[in-house]
Amino acid sequence: MNNSLPAAAQMGAETYPSSPGTQSVTDYDNGVSAIDADYLRPGLAAIHLIRENGRAALVDTGTSASVAGVMNALREKNLAPADVAYVFLTHIHLDHAGGAGEFMHQFPNARLVVHPRGARHMVDPARLIASAMTVYGEAEFRRIYGAIRPVDPSRIIEAPDGFRLDFNGRPLLFLDTPGHARHHYCILDERYRSFFTGDTFGISYREFDVDRMEFVFPTTTPVQFDPAAAHASLDRLMSYHPSYAFLTHFGRIGHLPRHAAEMHDLIDAHVAAALKLRDCGPGRLAALTEELGELLLHHVLIHGCKLPDHEIRNLLELDVRLNAQGLENWLNHAGETR
Ligand SMILES: [Zn+2]
C-alpha cells in the first residue's frame, strides 16, 4: 500500500474506456491496471499492466488481437512500446498466452518470462495450436486466436520455482503453482504483498460482486487439473499473507482468507460432483455440466447476487463447460502418472 496516495485512490478502482469500443482499463493503486483483453466478452479476461519508474510489465497477453487495447493503455499512460520490459505468462493456456508472439513482436525490448514447462511451446507453438484446433475447429480457432507467432528463444526467461526478478527496482518472486495447470506460476509483488495469480486463485467476475464482496470459484479446465495440487498451491499463496490477488478473470480481489476457504470448499465440491457421476456412462459429460451449472448458480445466489438466473447462467456457461470437460478428463486419467 502506498500511503502517499489519497485514501480514495487507495481504496478505489477507477474504470474508464481506453478507446471507442469495448476496451477498458481499470486503474488500481501501486501502478497496477487491468486492461480488458477483449476476449469473447468484456470483463472476461484481463491483461495486467504494472508500471514502475517509466517501465512497463504485462501479466498475460490475451490473444494477438489484444495488443491494440494494450497499445492504447500504454499511450494514455505516456509509455511507449519500447518501455515494455517484460511480458509475464502465468501459464500457456491460449487465453493467457495466445498473444505472446505478437506482443514480443510489438514490444522490441521485452523479455518473455514463462514457466520452464511452457517455454518450448512459445518457441514452437505448433502443439498448442493443434490441440486448440481439436477443441474449437480450425475456423473458430482462427476467429478467436488469429495467427500465433513463435517467440525467439533468446528473448525467453524461464522462471522456475523461487525465481526472483528485479523489475526496475520492484522485487518480484515467482512460485510454481500447479493444480490448474502444471505450467503455471504466480507472481508475488513483494513490496505490496499482492499476487498475480493467473487461474490459480480461480475466477471472479465483477458482475457477481455484491456490496464490493467478490464471488470466486475454481477453474478445473482440461487437461492438467489436479485437486491435491490446487489445494496445496492455494495454501502456499496464503502462507505469504497477501492483501490482494489480481486474477486474469477478472482483476483485483481482496478478502483473500475468506475466498481461499471458499475456493477449498468449491474445489472439493467439484471433485465430489465428478466422483458422484463417475459411473454415469456415455452421458457423463452432459450430467457433469448440468451438475456444475446448478452448483455454481446455487453458490452465486447464496452469495447474494440479484441478477436474473438466466444472466448468471450465461456468465457462467463457458466456465461450467470447461470445468466439466476438465473433470471428465480427470476422471479418465486420475491415478495415472502423467
Ligand atoms: Zn488456464
Side-chain angles (χ1 to χ4, degrees):
M1 193 65 87
N2 180 347
N3 289 321
S4 66
L5 287 171
Q10 288 187 17
M11 297 301 297
E14 189 190 349
T15 302
Y16 56 89
S18 80
S19 68
T22 56
Q23 293 285 353
S24 73
V25 176
T26 305
D27 287 333
Y28 306 103
D29 48 1
N30 305 327
V32 179
S33 305
I35 303 166
D36 199 303
D38 200 21
Y39 177 72
L40 303 180
R41 71 167 184 255
L44 180 72
I47 296 161
H48 284 102
L49 167 66
I50 313 171
R51 285 172 291 145
E52 183 69 25
N53 290 323
R55 290 282 179 275
L58 298 162
V59 184
D60 289 338
T61 68
T63 70
S64 300
S66 306
V67 79
V70 174
M71 290 294 190
N72 285 336
L74 291 174
R75 203 174 307 124
E76 276 162 8
K77 297 179 187 319
N78 296 315
L79 289 163
D83 296 327
V84 177
Y86 295 103
V87 175
F88 301 126
L89 302 178
T90 59
H91 62 303
I92 61 165
H93 286 162
L94 287 178
D95 50 331
H96 300 255
E102 183 63 24
F103 277 48
M104 295 306 284
H105 180 69
Q106 299 287 345
F107 304 127
N109 297 326
R111 308 290 298 275
L112 186 75
V113 183
V114 59
H115 192 286
R117 286 179 183 274
R120 69 193 166 97
H121 298 294
M122 295 293 101
V123 176
D124 177 9
R127 237 180 85 184
L128 277 184
I129 294 169
S131 76
M133 276 189 188
T134 62
V135 176
Y136 295 96
E138 180 164 355
E140 187 68 357
F141 172 85
R142 295 276 177 225
R143 189 184 69 76
I144 299 174
Y145 296 107
I148 298 203
R149 288 172 180 261
V151 178
D152 178 347
S154 69
R155 298 180 65 192
I156 294 181
I157 297 172
E158 294 189 14
D161 187 45
F163 179 75
R164 285 178 187 278
L165 189 149
D166 180 322
F167 166 44
N168 217 19
R170 186 163 176 159
L172 304 175
L173 171 65
F174 293 70
L175 300 181
D176 180 27
T177 56
H180 173 77
R182 284 179 295 147
H183 41 80
H184 202 306
Y185 64 57
C186 291
I187 308 166
L188 177 63
D189 188 354
E190 290 186 289
R191 195 191 292 156
Y192 303 109
R193 280 193 303 124
S194 294
F195 268 111
F196 295 88
T197 57
D199 288 347
T200 300
F201 214 106
I203 288 174
S204 179
Y205 296 129
R206 300 283 57 81
E207 289 92 332
F208 296 146
D209 287 357
V210 176
D211 299 330
R212 292 182 170 242
M213 181 55 74
E214 311 91 349
F215 174 73
V216 182
F217 65 100
T219 160
T220 65
T221 303
V223 291
Q224 295 179 340
F225 173 60
D226 176 343
H231 284 300
S233 289
L234 264 181
D235 286 340
R236 187 156 183 228
L237 296 181
M238 291 308 294
S239 75
Y240 289 83
H241 305 289
S243 305
Y244 293 105
F246 293 92
L247 282 52
T248 302
H249 316 285
F250 186 100
R252 188 181 75 177
I253 62 168
H255 318 102
L256 299 187
R258 169 180 170 151
H259 293 317
E262 292 163 345
M263 279 284 290
H264 282 302
D265 287 348
L266 278 174
I267 291 167
D268 287 342
H270 276 66
V271 169
L275 294 176
K276 184 176 98 176
L277 298 170
R278 173 182 288 203
D279 300 319
C280 256
R284 187 171 74 185
L285 179 59
L288 202 42
T289 308
E290 174 74 18
E291 182 86 8
L292 294 184
E294 294 307 311
L295 172 79
L296 289 177
L297 172 65
H298 175 69
H299 279 269
V300 172
L301 292 173
I302 289 177
H303 171 66
C305 180
K306 296 288 187 282
L307 292 175
D309 284 12
H310 70 272
E311 272 186 46
I312 298 173
R313 286 182 194 279
N314 279 345
L315 288 164
L316 291 171
E317 195 264 342
L318 171 69
D319 298 302
V320 164
R321 206 153 27 91
L322 289 171
N323 280 7
Q325 288 171 8
L327 291 173
E328 173 77 6
N329 185 274
W330 174 72
L331 283 172
N332 288 335
H333 298 281
E336 289 176 19
T337 310
R338 284 180 292 158

